[in-house]
Amino acid sequence: MSNFKKHHKLHSKLLVSITLCITLTLLVSTTVYYFYYIRVEKEQAFEANHNSLTLRSKEVINMTSIAQSLAFQMYRSSTLSKLLYYPKPNVYDVTAAMTELNNYLNSMPYIESIYVFNPKSGTFYIASSQGQNGLFSKHELADTDIIRVLDHYQDYKPFTPIPRTYPLLSASDSGAGVEQASPDIAAYTYLCYDAINSNEAINSAVIVNVSAAWMNKEMAANPISGGTAYILDDQGRLLSGTTLTDETLNEKEQLWLHTRVKKQETGYFVEDFHGKRSLISYTSPDGLGWQYISVTPYESVIKMASVIRNAMLLIAAIIALAGFVASWLLSKMLYTPIGQIVVHMNSLESEKRNSMYTIRQNILRNVIRGIRNLPAGEEPERLRELGITFQFDKDYRLVLLRIDEYTRWQSERGPDLLPYKFAIMNIASEICGQTYRVETVDMDEDSVLLMLNILDPAEHTDTVLLETLLRQIREACFEYLKLSVSLTYSAITSQPERLHLLYRQVQDASMHRFFQGHGCIINAQNTTDEDIQNTYVYPADKEKKMLDTLLSGHTEDAHSMFKELLMHMEKYPFSSVQVAISRLIMSVNNAVRHISELNGFAIESKSELPSADRLETAENLIDHYQLVFDHIRSSLSEKRNTKQERLVRQINERMEQAYTDPNFCLNQIAEELDMSPIYVSRLYKQQTMSTIVDVIQQLRIRKACELLEQTDWSVADVAEQTGFASSSYFHRMFKRSLGVTPTDFRRSKANAQ
């Protein structure tokens, strides 16, 4: 078995393929049969459920006709009319009427009870096979739900059955110990009433309650499928088919009930019901506006289909295993020589394919670079043998793909980057292959070259199609390889001898990625305008202005000028401005070093940056110098703040020393510091939020307080020792600052001690 896996013998492949085909055929056929059986079983279950539900619908409609006839007959009965319309019928009329009601009840076994209601007397006359019988007022009535129905009779269609449940006995009867066979009874209620007054109140009513147990014979649970029947009545309620109680549904069940069942034509579907997957069968609305629904567990529907599926899968697995064993045994005995030949041929084919690819790439690379001339005479046949179908004497153009951030990718991927380049070549060939005759060449480093034979003459004047395909290549590389590529395309030519010149042109144009950024698409013709080819002049005056601005500390303006100088070079050929970019970088670096030496701080920046062709984008260079300039600005600001803090400290120390001198003032401080009084005053207030005059005054008052508290000197002596010109001035300033006179201040401190 290990030899079979190692050598991939032809005979084994054939036998395994046959076995797999047979197995696959069995699996497919099993799947088809399985789903077909499921469909048939669902159809059969639906038909059975539909017939049962349709029969039940007919029975309910027939019963409606019977109940309607019975109600009309009771309204026409002279005996019962006395109960319906007389406020107080005599006992004989009541006895006769109740006898007639019981006759109706006994002659129709499907009727559970009959109510005759006279609103004038507020009395219910009841004939029932079980539960309450006789005359009852509203508060004595066990079936309180019928009062709700009568109060809202407008909500119900005439002679449309009302499915409901009601108790047989009232609460008082149950509490008294009266035996009760069952707490509630389910019935279909048919309401016949007379509401002809101006206030539309009921004058009289006949209520016929038909036993649900009698009518639900066909709607009971199906003993074969385990299905359950439900009723969706004209009020939109989903009721149990046996108990007529409201069915509780979750949000999902309510959704499919209202969207897929309600008011829809007859059908079925599979959906979850009460947490169990089920087959939902339903009828269309009948004459009463009712729909009948059957819910059958899905497991019982597909039970037979699952058995067939499992059996077929088991057979397929056995056949597959037997086929594999037979394949191995037969291959080992009969086809060993064929396997050896196939292995040897595969090895030779692989070697030939690899060598042809390498040779083809080397030939194309040398031709493109101008190292080797295009073959002439009979030599083109040699190119076709190598798989080179590109026609150099037909219209063609070149597209150069360059991997963005190649240095980073090379350090991260290492030798794995080569498969990425092959993937880029395959993506480009796949996208362009339907529009062009394509040849891809690995140009080493970060470049891949596409050679496109032009098939559409419209491309001589329109590049929309080409740029659309190039964007697709860029997006595919990013999506599948997580690589960003920049693309540059050349003009169209049909001269084979211009191939290497065209390559140099597109290579030089690709350098404009420096200005246009990663993922750009560049038209080489837009970067080789002969009118501006040799017209670039380095803006030395703008450079000097930018450097002067930087040296003066206006780093934001300097950075804007640096960016403007750099981006101004974009419209010129890159070969013309490459030296200018290097000069600009060198000048800025010199200015930065000069600022750092002049101000005595270090700039966290490399003294030398890579050459412009390795930076890839101007944005990287601009962002780098943004950080350098920001560092210069913060360092200068920090140094400036430190100097100002030192100056404030000197002023404070001088005030502590000279506050006793009455002539000590702002001008004296400014003179000692050799600065303008206005500058000293403004600087001090910016740093301390107080003026020098106020601080001197506060210092003198504070010292005066200490002397008044700690010595017995006179007020005049204290004023003289703290720098006040006179005791009266001291007295006025002291009271303005503290709100008390010096004498009162000394007295309050003495009393406190």
Side-chain angles (χ1 to χ4, degrees):
M1 190 67 178
S2 60
N3 292 332
F4 167 72
K5 290 183 177 180
K6 181 178 179 181
H7 299 294
H8 299 283
K9 296 179 176 61
L10 177 61
H11 48 275
S12 299
K13 292 181 180 180
L14 291 174
L15 291 173
V16 170
S17 299
I18 294 172
T19 304
L20 290 178
C21 287
I22 295 173
T23 306
L24 183 61
T25 302
L26 289 172
L27 290 175
V28 172
S29 61
T30 301
T31 303
V32 173
Y33 288 145
Y34 174 66
F35 286 106
Y36 175 74
Y37 290 150
I38 288 178
R39 180 178 177 182
V40 170
E41 291 191 355
K42 288 194 293 186
E43 291 284 353
Q44 292 177 348
F46 166 70
E47 289 295 334
N49 292 333
H50 181 259
N51 291 337
S52 176
L53 297 176
T54 303
L55 179 60
R56 185 67 197 103
S57 175
K58 293 179 179 179
E59 290 184 358
V60 172
I61 292 175
N62 291 337
M63 185 59 67
T64 300
S65 301
I66 295 173
Q68 182 178 4
S69 300
L70 176 62
F72 287 159
Q73 184 177 351
M74 294 173 65
Y75 259 100
R76 290 193 296 267
S77 171
S78 59
T79 304
L80 294 177
S81 63
K82 296 178 181 179
L83 299 183
L84 290 169
Y85 301 113
Y86 289 10
K88 293 181 179 180
N90 60 51
V91 64
Y92 301 106
D93 293 334
V94 172
T95 301
M98 292 300 297
T99 301
E100 186 173 344
L101 285 178
N102 284 305
N103 290 336
Y104 284 128
L105 184 66
N106 295 329
S107 62
M108 301 178 183
Y110 46 81
I111 295 179
E112 179 65 32
S113 60
I114 301 174
Y115 299 171
V116 174
F117 175 58
N118 188 337
K120 295 178 181 179
S121 63
T123 304
F124 284 89
Y125 303 91
I126 301 176
S128 175
S129 59
Q130 52 183 335
Q132 289 182 323
N133 271 289
L135 282 68
F136 298 91
S137 62
K138 287 185 177 181
H139 68 274
E140 295 174 335
L141 192 64
D143 184 7
T144 56
D145 184 62
I146 195 63
I147 299 174
R148 177 191 61 80
V149 173
L150 291 172
D151 290 341
H152 300 85
Y153 71 95
Q154 299 95 334
D155 297 340
Y156 302 96
K157 296 179 182 179
F159 291 104
T160 296
I162 305 172
R164 65 190 189 94
T165 59
Y166 61 90
L168 293 176
L169 300 176
S170 65
S172 59
D173 293 337
S174 299
V178 179
E179 294 185 0
Q180 186 172 338
S182 61
D184 294 305
I185 188 167
Y188 294 88
T189 298
Y190 295 87
L191 176 63
C192 182
Y193 54 84
D194 179 13
I196 59 175
N197 290 344
S198 58
N199 60 359
E200 296 186 356
I202 291 180
N203 283 338
S204 61
V206 173
I207 299 101
V208 179
N209 295 313
V210 177
S211 172
W214 182 278
M215 295 180 63
N216 287 340
K217 294 177 182 179
E218 298 298 330
M219 295 187 65
N222 190 326
I224 298 177
S225 63
T228 306
Y230 297 90
I231 299 171
L232 182 62
D233 67 4
D234 58 324
Q235 301 293 320
R237 300 181 301 164
L238 184 66
L239 307 174
S240 170
T242 55
T243 63
L244 298 185
T245 56
D246 287 339
E247 195 69 19
T248 303
L249 303 177
N250 57 34
E251 293 183 1
K252 185 177 180 181
E253 292 167 349
Q254 291 177 355
L255 178 63
W256 60 250
L257 178 67
H258 288 86
T259 58
R260 304 179 66 178
V261 176
K262 190 174 181 179
K263 297 182 180 180
Q264 301 296 321
E265 295 297 325
T266 300
Y268 68 92
F269 57 90
V270 178
E271 190 56 79
D272 289 343
F273 185 77
H274 291 349
K276 191 173 184 180
R277 197 159 183 79
S278 305
L279 176 68
I280 313 296
S281 306
Y282 57 92
T283 65
S284 56
D286 58 13
L288 301 176
W290 287 15
Q291 291 179 263
Y292 297 86
I293 303 170
S294 177
V295 179
T296 307
Y298 194 66
E299 294 179 357
S300 62
V301 175
I302 64 171
K303 184 176 182 180
M304 185 57 66
S306 299
V307 172
I308 296 174
R309 176 199 59 190
N310 295 335
M312 294 293 287
L313 289 176
L314 179 62
I315 294 172
I318 294 174
I319 293 176
L321 179 61
F324 276 115
V325 173
S327 299
W328 177 66
L329 294 175
L330 291 176
S331 63
K332 189 173 182 180
M333 291 187 297
L334 301 176
Y335 298 105
T336 301
I338 296 177
Q340 294 175 351
I341 294 172
V342 170
V343 170
H344 185 62
M345 291 180 62
N346 289 339
S347 177
L348 293 176
E349 184 68 25
S350 178
E351 292 178 3
K352 179 181 178 182
R353 183 169 57 253
N354 294 336
S355 62
M356 285 181 62
Y357 176 80
T358 303
I359 293 171
R360 182 177 64 185
Q361 286 287 304
N362 288 336
I363 290 176
L364 290 173
R365 195 179 297 114
N366 291 335
V367 169
I368 292 168
R369 290 174 175 169
I371 300 175
R372 174 175 177 173
N373 294 328
L374 285 170
E378 297 180 357
E379 290 193 18
E381 184 64 29
R382 170 64 176 162
L383 297 180
R384 284 190 289 272
E385 291 178 359
L386 294 174
I388 300 175
T389 59
F390 190 80
Q391 298 180 0
F392 295 92
D393 56 346
K394 303 293 184 182
D395 288 340
Y396 68 91
R397 67 162 23 114
L398 303 181
V399 178
L400 184 65
L401 284 75
R402 297 186 63 188
I403 301 175
D404 297 329
E405 299 182 292
Y406 180 75
T407 303
R408 179 177 66 84
W409 275 97
Q410 192 176 35
S411 62
E412 292 179 359
R413 303 293 179 176
D416 294 337
L417 192 59
L418 186 59
Y420 278 86
K421 294 186 72 174
F422 289 155
I424 293 173
M425 296 165 67
N426 290 334
I427 289 172
S429 299
E430 183 70 22
I431 292 176
C432 297
Q434 298 180 358
T435 309
Y436 305 96
R437 184 180 292 108
V438 184
E439 192 68 55
T440 58
V441 185
D442 182 3
M443 299 305 295
D444 299 329
E445 292 297 327
D446 64 341
S447 302
V448 171
L449 186 68
L450 302 182
M451 304 168 63
L452 307 178
N453 270 133
I454 306 301
L455 304 179
D456 187 356
E459 286 207 37
H460 286 270
T461 57
D462 189 3
T463 61
V464 174
L465 173 60
L466 175 65
E467 292 189 358
T468 300
L469 296 177
L470 297 185
R471 282 193 291 271
Q472 293 178 7
I473 294 173
R474 180 184 63 191
E475 293 168 0
C477 290
F478 184 79
E479 179 178 358
Y480 298 110
L481 307 179
K482 306 305 178 185
L483 278 174
S484 173
V485 295
S486 300
L487 305 99
T488 307
Y489 62 91
S490 69
I492 299 174
T493 184
S494 59
Q495 301 176 12
E497 63 275 7
R498 285 184 51 83
L499 177 60
H500 66 283
L501 298 176
L502 202 62
Y503 171 67
R504 292 179 185 175
Q505 181 189 49
V506 77
Q507 191 177 34
D508 291 341
S510 68
M511 302 299 291
H512 275 261
R513 176 183 63 177
F514 180 81
F515 295 106
Q516 299 188 24
H518 293 148
C520 60
I521 298 176
I522 303 172
N523 185 346
Q525 288 181 288
N526 296 338
T527 64
T528 56
D529 192 339
E530 296 180 357
D531 295 336
I532 63 172
Q533 185 74 22
N534 299 310
T535 58
Y536 179 73
V537 178
Y538 186 78
D541 55 339
K542 292 185 178 180
E543 180 197 89
K544 184 178 183 304
K545 184 177 179 181
M546 183 267 294
L547 295 177
D548 292 341
T549 304
L550 179 60
L551 291 172
S552 66
H554 297 85
T555 56
E556 293 184 359
D557 295 338
H559 185 264
S560 299
M561 294 179 183
F562 175 80
K563 181 178 179 181
E564 181 180 356
L565 279 171
L566 194 64
M567 300 309 295
H568 178 70
M569 307 174 187
E570 179 179 2
K571 63 182 179 179
Y572 297 98
F574 198 80
S575 57
S576 302
V577 300
Q578 196 167 10
V579 176
I581 295 174
S582 300
R583 173 179 170 176
L584 178 62
I585 293 173
M586 182 179 65
S587 299
V588 173
N589 282 343
N590 290 335
V592 169
R593 282 194 293 271
H594 178 70
I595 294 173
S596 62
E597 293 171 358
L598 183 64
N599 293 276
F601 55 82
I603 297 296
E604 299 176 0
S605 172
K606 297 181 180 178
S607 58
E608 294 183 2
L609 290 174
S611 58
D613 60 335
R614 297 186 61 189
L615 287 173
E616 290 197 0
T617 65
E619 183 180 0
N620 293 339
L621 183 62
I622 293 171
D623 291 344
H624 176 84
Y625 277 102
Q626 178 72 60
L627 296 176
V628 173
F629 289 4
D630 288 346
H631 182 71
I632 291 174
R633 184 179 67 253
S634 61
S635 299
L636 291 175
S637 177
E638 182 179 354
K639 182 178 180 181
R640 189 181 301 111
N641 291 336
T642 303
K643 182 178 179 180
Q644 293 173 352
E645 290 174 0
R646 185 167 60 252
L647 184 61
V648 170
R649 188 165 56 252
Q650 292 177 358
I651 295 173
N652 289 334
E653 291 174 355
R654 181 57 185 155
M655 287 190 294
E656 286 284 348
Q657 296 171 358
Y659 74 92
T660 58
D661 182 4
N663 297 321
F664 181 68
C665 61
L666 170 63
N667 291 335
Q668 185 177 347
I669 295 174
E671 183 178 351
E672 292 178 1
L673 296 175
D674 194 19
M675 295 180 180
S676 165
I678 296 176
Y679 174 75
V680 173
S681 176
R682 184 171 64 249
L683 173 64
Y684 190 86
K685 187 170 184 180
Q686 287 176 350
Q687 295 294 320
T688 65
M689 304 303 293
S690 300
T691 65
I692 291 178
V693 175
D694 290 341
V695 173
I696 294 174
Q697 188 74 11
Q698 293 171 5
L699 177 61
R700 287 172 173 170
I701 294 296
R702 187 172 71 252
K703 294 296 184 179
C705 289
E706 293 176 0
L707 292 175
L708 289 170
E709 185 177 358
Q710 298 173 4
T711 68
D712 56 356
W713 293 354
S714 66
V715 173
D717 291 339
V718 171
E720 181 180 355
Q721 290 297 322
T722 53
F724 287 97
S726 65
S727 59
S728 61
Y729 178 70
F730 168 63
H731 187 278
R732 187 168 60 254
M733 292 297 102
F734 192 93
K735 187 172 184 180
R736 178 183 298 176
S737 298
L738 300 181
V740 296
T741 64
T743 303
D744 292 340
F745 176 81
R746 172 176 280 176
R747 186 181 298 112
S748 64
K749 292 296 181 180
N751 293 334
Q753 293 177 355

